[in-house]
Amino acid sequence: MNAAAAAPAPTPTAALFADDPLLQIDDLVVGAESTEILKGVSLSARAGRTTGVVGESGSGKSMTALAVLGLLPTGVRATGGSIRFDGRDLLALGPRERRLVRGKQVGMVFQDPLAALDPVMRIDDQIGEILRRRDGVSRREARKRAVELLHRVEVPEPEHRAASYPHQLSGGQRQRVVIAMALAGKPRLILADEPTTALDVTVQARILELLRRLQREEDLSILLISHDLRVMAHFADDLVVMKHGEVVEAGPAATVLGDPQHPYTRNLIDNVPAVHA
Ligand SMILES: Nc1ncnc2c1ncn2[C@@H]1O[C@H](COP(=O)(O)OP(=O)(O)OP(=O)(O)O)[C@@H](O)[C@H]1O
Ligand SMILES: [Mg+2]
């Protein structure tokens, strides 16, 4: 799949910024007291498309996502650059507006669904809480809509599961619930940080297929963080490769994977023999 053989490869920036992106990060600098964690990261995510972010552990993938959400750990701050979402610079917003963006326009799905769920609250009430906050609906209506959402994310027997608690579900079902919660806010962008890493391989594929179906139906933009280049080969439209807090390569996923320019990217690919399968 050497896309670059047919036509000259566009420069990464031109390719990623071709149509007005929903999310555009420019030269983002994030640091803790004495260290720079992100050293000028630029990337973008388009509506209806998936931007994949790969890179070794500690390269700054999660920090990038947390910076978008305004959820950087204590002591870690964005000190430079911009994060434009739908034309607005999120770094310039106050905490209240930031929360609104997080709750309504940007959904999140992280690696550990248990950590995202309240162990002592029924599933339908957890999803319902978001609906009540967002749309001001009654508890009864919220529960009804929660069941509909569980149906959409293909949780089996949604009426029955709605009344259960997180520990009563499988890992894959829990992650579906987390996706339902992310959808409840009607987001335009989903940040998915290793959403399937904790799941077994067949469940992984189904969860990713689900995200893709939802993406098509809702014209969602997805920022997908994963170690797994095979996942990227299947699901990413654009691909960003990070190393030590910097983007070393970016462009259409087929081009980056088929004709990597940076030695680090080549090395990542060489370590995954089945990436072209
Ligand atoms: N609270 C913190 N204070 C200071 N530095 C931190 C803090 N949390 C993480 N870091 C540093 O930030 C860097 C980037 O971390 P990040 O979690 O974004 O990596 P990652 O690419 O998501 O890695 P992984 O693949 O393991 O999830 C790491 O070098 C890490 O040591
Ligand atoms: Mg991470």
Side-chain angles (χ1 to χ4, degrees):
M1 68 182 202
N2 192 340
T11 64
T13 315
L16 279 182
F17 292 62
D19 20 317
D20 212 11
L22 180 63
L23 174 74
Q24 183 166 323
I25 301 178
D26 277 312
D27 218 11
L28 177 65
V29 179
V30 165
E33 205 168 318
S34 56
T35 49
E36 221 168 49
I37 297 171
L38 301 182
K39 305 162 189 166
V41 165
S42 300
L43 62 84
S44 65
R46 299 180 281 157
R49 296 277 190 276
T50 297
T51 295
V53 183
V54 289
E56 68 199 354
S57 187
S59 57
K61 305 181 298 294
S62 295
M63 284 295 169
T64 304
L66 293 172
V68 173
L69 292 165
L71 293 176
L72 288 169
T74 318
V76 177
R77 287 194 319 128
T79 55
S82 61
I83 303 176
R84 267 178 292 160
F85 178 77
D86 204 16
R88 284 196 302 177
D89 185 3
L90 298 183
L91 294 179
L93 298 181
R96 192 174 161 272
E97 286 169 297
R98 205 69 199 277
R99 255 197 313 277
L100 284 176
V101 170
R102 192 156 64 230
K104 294 193 176 181
Q105 296 188 298
V106 181
M108 45 197 160
V109 181
F110 293 139
Q111 179 171 338
D112 179 6
L114 265 188
L117 298 170
D118 183 336
V120 295
M121 198 184 212
R122 279 169 53 143
I123 297 299
D124 53 2
D125 287 337
Q126 300 200 42
I127 301 170
E129 201 172 58
I130 298 164
L131 297 166
R132 294 177 72 184
R133 219 181 308 134
R134 189 193 152 94
D135 299 333
V137 295
S138 69
R139 183 178 182 137
R140 210 175 133 189
E141 174 66 18
R143 280 186 168 173
K144 192 172 137 248
R145 287 206 214 164
V147 172
E148 288 163 14
L149 276 167
L150 289 175
H151 198 264
R152 281 203 66 201
V153 297
E154 298 161 23
V155 167
E157 303 175 52
E159 291 82 3
H160 174 66
R161 294 278 185 278
S164 58
Y165 293 84
H167 73 271
Q168 296 172 305
L169 306 182
S170 69
Q173 287 170 358
R174 279 184 213 127
Q175 198 60 303
R176 288 173 192 274
V177 170
V178 172
I179 293 169
M181 287 169 72
L183 285 182
K186 295 210 172 69
R188 299 174 63 201
L189 170 70
I190 293 217
L191 298 180
D193 190 349
E194 306 275 4
T196 60
T197 307
L199 305 171
D200 78 48
V201 177
T202 48
V203 179
Q204 271 185 27
R206 283 194 223 117
I207 296 281
L208 290 165
E209 289 297 345
L210 169 68
L211 281 172
R212 185 145 71 176
R213 175 171 69 72
L214 296 168
Q215 173 172 56
R216 276 199 294 265
E217 289 170 7
E218 312 262 335
D219 202 28
L220 279 173
S221 172
I222 298 180
L223 192 72
L224 176 65
I225 296 171
S226 173
H227 278 92
D228 193 335
L229 281 183
R230 277 165 302 198
V231 163
M232 292 309 177
H234 281 103
F235 293 96
D237 298 291
D238 299 312
L239 189 60
V240 174
V241 183
M242 288 185 70
K243 183 176 193 262
H244 297 324
E246 288 176 307
V247 172
V248 295
E249 186 159 2
T255 309
V256 173
L257 293 174
D259 185 24
Q261 300 300 306
H262 196 281
Y264 178 69
T265 314
R266 261 179 248 142
N267 190 41
L268 280 182
I269 292 170
D270 288 345
N271 287 313
V272 188
V275 70
H276 297 296

